[in-house]
Amino acid sequence: MGKLYFHYSTMNAGKSTMLLQAAYNYLERGMLVYLLTAKLDQRAGDAKIASRIGLSMDAQTFEAETNIYDQLSEAYSKDGDDKAPFACVFVDEAQFLSKEQVWQLARFVDEYNVPVMCYGLRVDFRGELFPGSSTLLALADELREATMVVRRAEDGTAAKE
């Protein structure tokens, strides 16, 4: 059953790492996923979701004017299409979604019965909600606060002990 999920936290809490691990779990079981990230986030390069511990995957991007419902609908296979259907949508940097784009994601969940997992910040540096996060907090079927924080060793690698 499709649901809209919002995994939120503060900076440096490992959201992208959790997203990539969840996406990998789907892929490992032979299911396709659709990865989506904000075009303006170029830290890992264009159309990439990456974690600070070195994991990365290619993704599609969205901008302020993107109609995400249309983007997902066009990519999703319907009966008779030659495309394979994806089992889950993962959205990184969800705080950059507009209110309208969150509603588009909710519509996609309802009409296609595909879960959408959004990962992002809840508030900005002033403690104010991002518009996308605010709408996700209102509409998401499930909310999960990410509490993992990566600790770095002196050489910059992720500390494992």
Side-chain angles (χ1 to χ4, degrees), residues 95 121-131 133-134:
Q95 70 272 11
L121 299 174
R122 185 173 49 92
V123 296
D124 64 16
F125 70 96
R126 297 167 296 182
E128 296 180 17
L129 286 167
F130 286 96
S133 299
S134 173

Side-chain angles (χ1 to χ4, degrees), residues 26-121:
Y26 274 84
L27 294 168
E28 188 176 47
R29 291 180 287 174
M31 298 185 213
L32 297 178
V33 296
Y34 191 92
L35 302 176
L36 189 59
T37 192
K39 176 85 172 162
L40 64 89
D41 182 16
Q42 297 287 311
R43 291 174 294 169
D46 190 40
K48 287 249 187 240
I49 297 173
S51 71
R52 291 181 308 281
I53 62 172
L55 305 173
S56 70
M57 289 183 173
D58 292 334
Q60 301 303 313
T61 60
F62 67 88
E63 298 179 82
E65 65 277 358
T66 303
N67 183 312
I68 293 179
Y69 175 83
D70 288 347
Q71 182 178 2
L72 294 174
S73 296
E74 288 173 19
Y76 191 81
S77 172
K78 293 190 175 188
D79 293 334
D81 286 354
D82 59 352
K83 299 175 277 188
F86 42 85
C88 189
V89 175
F90 291 90
V91 181
D92 199 24
E93 304 300 337
Q95 70 272 11
F96 296 124
L97 294 165
S98 68
K99 177 180 179 178
E100 294 78 19
Q101 288 170 324
V102 174
W103 278 99
Q104 292 164 8
L105 288 171
R107 178 179 170 206
F108 182 80
V109 167
D110 291 343
E111 292 184 15
Y112 287 82
N113 201 28
V114 173
V116 174
M117 297 192 186
C118 299
Y119 294 76
L121 299 174

